[in-house]
Amino acid sequence: MRSVVSFTLVCFLAAPGLLAQDDSLEGRARRYLIDLIRIQSINPPGNETPVAQYLKSVCDREGIPSELMGGDTSRLNFVARLKGDGSQRPLLLMAHSDVVPADRSQWTVDPFSAEERDGFIYGRGAQDDKCYIAAELSVLVELKRQGMPLRRDIILLAESDEETGSTGIQWMIANAFQKIDADFGLNEGGFAFDAAAGQRLFHVQTSEKIPSRITLTARGTAGHGSLPRPDNAVVRLARAIARLAEADQPVRMNTTTRRYFRMLAKLPDYRWLAPHVGKLETAPTA
């Protein structure tokens, strides 16, 4: 699986300015990204099916089995699969095909033109999240063309409606989970940047924030909103919410953050961090 991961990184770091006819791994990723940005899959309303159709057209040309799936014909998911020998469970490459709205007045370029300036491709979805679709699709095509022997199936999923309701992935889980069932998946999250001495750091995200919903019930005397009594239920509820907002939220290191800071402190740019890492482990100094 090292080859798959390295291919993915190359796609994200594709050199700018490559000719449109360039059929290298990087050139294809660049071309796919430009094509995808120009498909306006703004959510709401979404209309991600044209993205799925584009992906299928590429896979059809390359002989990669793929299909469009979903409960809404205008918002279909795309699933493609390269077969391995089955000795290991599949790897799932994920990305979402919708983008948030773009106010043209706030852009210096047409947000759906995929215009190139100073070595960068500008457009809605260039970072969130069509770059991932382009990179992963390019990887899939490369694996197919090379005929690389795989120990596990490689699945590419481009799901609809990530930005507002996640109905695309929910439909897949409820109706076609066997199509995406995998040992692990690679999705958006994390980033890369250049440190001193030409070192490039890859930040890999290992988990995602999730919402915590709390139901608060307050009891007290009734009272008109213009003259709230001290024991009014609404007043008590407001006090409770204020206390929650003001409560101390202690720092708790987990395995990922502990190792992250420890390794980061070894780099020349971040040696100043080393004496502070231990302080993150104790509540008074964290």
Side-chain angles (χ1 to χ4, degrees):
M1 298 315 301
R2 291 176 184 170
S3 298
V4 175
V5 175
S6 64
F7 277 147
T8 305
L9 295 178
V10 167
C11 286
F12 287 123
L13 304 176
L18 296 172
L19 296 176
Q21 291 76 23
D22 182 2
D23 202 36
S24 67
L25 180 67
E26 296 89 345
R28 287 196 306 274
R30 174 182 171 276
R31 185 170 69 252
Y32 296 155
L33 176 57
I34 289 172
D35 290 345
L36 289 166
I37 290 173
R38 290 173 177 171
I39 301 174
Q40 298 190 27
S41 52
I42 304 167
N43 185 13
N47 192 35
E48 298 94 337
T49 295
V51 175
Q53 291 171 332
Y54 170 83
L55 299 175
K56 192 172 192 315
S57 70
V58 173
C59 286
D60 287 348
R61 288 196 304 270
E62 300 292 338
I64 300 173
S66 64
E67 54 190 320
L68 277 56
M69 311 181 71
D72 184 338
T73 56
S74 67
R75 312 199 68 179
L76 295 177
N77 304 293
F78 168 84
V79 182
R81 182 186 291 255
L82 282 180
K83 298 291 291 183
D85 63 18
S87 61
Q88 297 185 24
R89 296 193 64 232
L91 163 66
L92 178 64
L93 305 178
M94 300 178 64
H96 61 87
S97 52
D98 59 330
V99 299
V100 295
D103 181 352
R104 179 65 181 85
S105 66
Q106 300 299 309
W107 288 69
T108 58
V109 300
D110 181 343
F112 299 101
S113 66
E115 182 175 328
E116 292 188 64
R117 286 188 181 182
D118 302 320
F120 291 89
I121 297 174
Y122 288 84
R124 173 59 81 217
Q127 287 188 309
D128 186 12
D129 187 31
K130 290 181 175 178
C131 63
Y132 286 85
I133 302 179
E136 291 166 350
L137 179 61
S138 190
V139 167
L140 212 63
V141 170
E142 186 76 6
L143 293 174
K144 172 66 175 178
R145 289 185 178 184
Q146 289 191 13
M148 182 177 292
L150 301 170
R151 294 191 297 272
R152 62 177 88 227
D153 291 3
I154 309 297
I155 306 169
L156 172 57
L157 167 66
E159 83 272 16
S160 62
D161 191 32
E162 187 270 350
E163 297 289 2
T164 60
S166 300
T167 57
I169 189 63
Q170 289 179 21
W171 188 95
M172 291 298 301
I173 291 171
N175 299 279
F177 184 70
Q178 74 280 4
K179 300 284 186 179
I180 59 173
D181 187 15
D183 195 11
F184 61 97
L186 299 178
N187 200 356
E188 65 174 312
F191 60 97
F193 71 92
D194 293 322
Q199 292 175 308
R200 170 154 285 191
L201 304 184
F202 295 94
H203 289 218
V204 179
Q205 179 177 322
T206 61
S207 63
E208 183 63 72
K209 293 181 291 184
I210 59 173
S212 295
R213 293 178 173 86
I214 301 172
T215 299
L216 298 179
T217 302
R219 294 179 175 85
T221 59
H224 193 277
S226 63
L227 295 171
R229 295 165 56 99
D231 58 347
N232 181 276
V234 175
V235 174
R236 287 183 172 179
L237 196 60
R239 289 192 185 120
I241 293 172
R243 289 180 63 186
L244 283 174
E246 294 166 359
D248 181 35
Q249 302 294 327
V251 174
R252 292 187 178 90
M253 299 275 278
N254 59 24
T255 301
T256 297
T257 52
R258 188 175 291 110
R259 183 177 181 185
Y260 171 74
F261 286 122
R262 187 172 67 248
M263 299 300 291
L264 196 64
K266 294 181 179 180
L267 299 175
D269 281 11
Y270 295 94
R271 288 197 177 127
W272 58 268
L273 183 61
H276 301 286
V277 173
K279 298 178 181 177
L280 291 171
E281 297 282 7
T282 58
T285 56

